Amino acid sequence: MHKKHLLAVAGLLVVCVAMVFAAGCVSEPANTDKTPTVEILYTGAGTMPGLLATGKVDGYIIWQPFVAVGVEGDVGKVVSYSQDLPPAGMWKQHTCCAIGANSEALKNTDLTTSIVALMILGDKYINDYPEKSAELTADWLFSKQDMIYGNITVNSVAAMNASIPTIMFSSEVTDAWLASNEEFIKSQRELKLITGKLASTSAEEAKDLLYDFGPYEAATAQIAAGKLTTPAPVTTPISIGYLPSDHDAPLFVLLKDWQYFKDTYNSYLKPTTDKAGKISEAELFINGEKIVDVKFVEGSGGPQLMTLLSQNTIQYAVAGTPPYISAIDKSTGAISLKILAPIQLEGSGLVASMNSPANDWAGFVQWVTDRSAAGDNVVIADPQLGSIQDVQLKAALKDAGITVITMKQ
């Protein structure tokens, strides 16, 4: 098995479909009656593989590539990917990351349509060339260098090859995707994390606040017709925010293999310099004509990108749908935000330690039951209260009749 670096990348605020369950929202005393119980430790994504390797936790639930990091680093094994967690069928094609824009960007409909069209084509590229996409993503995130954490070393290309196939790269706006976002809103209301514009909206009212599908509809029509509409050239550069995660791979492949998109579609993002690693500047060409200079801004998290969008420091962002939902709920300024289309779905997983007997969800439930009966609860690291992973884990545990308590740090 490939060895793997315990990734210290800043966590992507990814976000998924949600239903909230009351259990597990407060700290409680240790288990004394042997009830099957999981203790949750809220912690950063980048710390999870290290905590697992040192025995501080028994497992973790998180987004990719941290799932692959645990596996490739020989410290963990996948119990279940997020889409397969119970209740049965609830998480299929659940929401995660999207391309969005602010109201200033949306004034230029043709340019926004071109950006969305390229993201759609980036998704297509990943599905057509997954191994090449893994290599390009490893190049962007790690310059193809090994990822090192303590005495564990993981090959970045191997990690991306393990991660990319477990993520559903799709830009299609479906009823299931819309429903998953609505369920997430409901869960955030129950946690009292949504208290503003979305606090009491109907599903249709929420759609009006959250989305602008005009550019997506125009982009899909143009791609189907075989040619994009050429926007008028723009003299002021635009900026696109992103997060350092393989969930943002559609953007990375557009820039890392720009020649392919030029040769195939004559519409592309050409980097101003050819180098390994991250790219900060490029030129946007549509139908061979230069349209605008583009800057790329790496964010430390979804909320930060939402702030930059609201300030018009960036005009577009690839980020989790939850940060968009939260920002739109609380927005009060003159600049508004909209989600334009998904770029990927699913892409999270539950990892258990290598020495655990759990190899699937049923085995995990039995492991929890046996450990609690012995007075020693299983401890699972979790990225954040109300995150998609938190909601999914608690839903699965409730379905299995397992109690959840929160550890005090």
Side-chain angles (χ1 to χ4, degrees), residues 233-254:
V234 177
T235 57
T236 302
I238 62 170
S239 294
I240 301 176
Y242 70 93
L243 296 170
S245 164
D246 56 2
H247 286 203
D248 289 20
L251 179 63
F252 304 156
V253 300
L254 282 167

Side-chain angles (χ1 to χ4, degrees), residues 141-172:
L141 294 175
F142 311 109
S143 299
K144 297 185 185 178
Q145 300 300 306
D146 286 344
M147 299 180 289
I148 300 172
Y149 189 95
N151 62 354
I152 297 177
T153 300
V154 178
N155 180 277
S156 61
V157 176
M160 294 304 107
N161 270 310
S163 176
I164 293 290
T166 71
I167 304 169
M168 184 177 181
F169 288 97
S170 172
S171 302
E172 185 179 1

